[in-house]
Amino acid sequence: MPTVAVLAFDGMAPFELGCVVEVFGLPRPELDVPWYELKVCAETAAPLRAVGGFTLRTDHGLEELAAADTVIVPGVADVRGEVSPALAGALRRAHGRGARLVSICSGAFALAAAGVLDGREATTHWRYADLLARRFPQVKVNPDVLYVDHGDVLTSAGSAAGLDLLIHLVRKDHGPSVANSVARRLVVPPHREGGQAQFIQAAVAPVEEETDGVAAAMAWALDNLATPLTVAGLARRAHMAERTFIRRFKQRTGTSPLRWVISQRIAASLPLLESSAAPVEEIGATVGFDSPVTFRHHFSQAMRTSPSAYRRSFTHAAR
């Protein structure tokens, strides 16, 4: 049974810790796979204060953290403060013995302080990206992605992106069917295509300004991804002028109609790559890309890997 250790610390926000507990600590008898053994670890045995006015205590310390198969740092108390030598040392020991290190949100500052991000691309919450780059110039900070996976070290953006990464870990360990089951139980999508840039200062339309026409056009597009989709055609479906449709679409989604269509086509290709033996070219056409070159280009931009490499990772996970 693989062990997962998550760091608890004084002043923590409970959401990220709760996500780790939910994914790796909750028993899942419906899944016919050995689940994880979760240990909540801390630098001290004293009660730890959490945002919201409650405390928690754990019997597991940094030795258990350093000995785990996967170590998750869900944040740091102060992005401008120093990471304790004890914690940095535990992270280095874990990495040195082959553990998988994971950060959520500001947890990247702890991994950077331990030196395991040196010379590597990493991400964190977009609010902290500039600070992380200034404090640790040897880290290649990418503020535009939801997570970065180097195999042995993985970093994710803001809180919800951490959940994306946790499900990604389950997918790597147990394959897409198990990951999809966990995602369904959490009532979240098994994969979100895109980057955190789409959430920065994105306009959110008030409910009274939402239009059924935009929703209807989006629903129709999802049912017809394999057909040619244009802004003009979607605007007609929404019974709007193109400029009005584009403006209202961006208010609703934070992106443009064509970028959204591309992201939905890529998302539709994932289960086909994960579970079918169809050629990559055929899958691209099935989800609406007009050529294999276009499919590979957009897939690589979104997923940071090729369709074939993505498929191979799931073939290996299923063995």
Side-chain angles (χ1 to χ4, degrees), residues 55-285:
T55 62
L56 65 86
R57 184 196 300 266
T58 178
D59 294 330
H60 302 300
L62 292 183
E63 289 306 313
E64 287 92 341
L65 183 121
D69 299 308
T70 298
V71 176
I72 302 176
V73 184
V76 294
D78 181 2
V79 292
R80 291 176 173 79
E82 297 300 321
V83 172
S84 74
L87 175 58
L91 293 173
R92 283 192 290 268
R93 291 198 304 277
H95 187 248
R97 44 167 290 277
R100 180 169 60 184
L101 301 191
V102 180
S103 69
I104 300 174
C105 197
S106 64
F109 285 80
L111 299 192
V116 298
L117 296 180
D118 289 358
R120 296 189 180 204
E121 181 179 318
T123 194
T124 185
H125 193 288
W126 57 266
R127 290 184 61 191
Y128 305 139
D130 287 345
L131 179 61
L132 182 65
R134 289 197 304 271
R135 290 196 59 193
F136 301 98
Q138 64 273 38
V139 179
K140 302 174 184 176
V141 180
N142 183 345
D144 297 328
V145 295
L146 296 178
Y147 56 81
V148 176
D149 179 359
H150 290 290
D152 59 329
V153 179
L154 304 90
T155 55
S156 65
S159 302
L163 190 54
D164 291 313
L165 179 52
L166 300 182
I167 294 174
H168 172 70
L169 291 175
V170 174
R171 187 183 297 112
K172 291 186 67 172
D173 292 344
H174 298 294
S177 296
V178 171
N180 291 348
S181 178
V182 173
R184 281 195 300 271
R185 187 160 164 180
L186 289 166
V187 199
V188 297
H191 171 79
R192 286 193 299 162
E193 188 278 323
Q196 61 175 321
Q198 65 185 298
F199 303 109
I200 301 173
Q201 302 296 335
V204 179
V207 173
E208 63 268 22
E209 293 183 10
E210 293 284 2
T211 63
D212 291 339
V214 172
M218 293 172 73
W220 183 85
L222 289 174
D223 289 335
N224 294 274
L225 287 176
T227 65
L229 297 174
T230 64
V231 174
L234 293 175
R236 285 194 298 272
R237 287 277 169 182
H239 303 291
M240 295 178 188
E242 279 191 49
R243 291 179 63 180
T244 301
F245 176 73
I246 292 169
R247 175 172 56 82
R248 293 188 177 175
F249 193 97
K250 189 164 186 178
Q251 286 177 334
R252 170 167 282 201
T253 67
T255 190
S256 71
L258 291 184
R259 285 184 180 273
W260 179 83
V261 167
I262 290 170
S263 72
Q264 298 309 309
R265 284 173 168 162
I266 291 170
S269 76
L270 299 182
L272 299 178
L273 290 168
E274 295 166 6
S275 59
S276 82
V280 168
E281 295 78 6
E282 181 180 318
I283 290 175

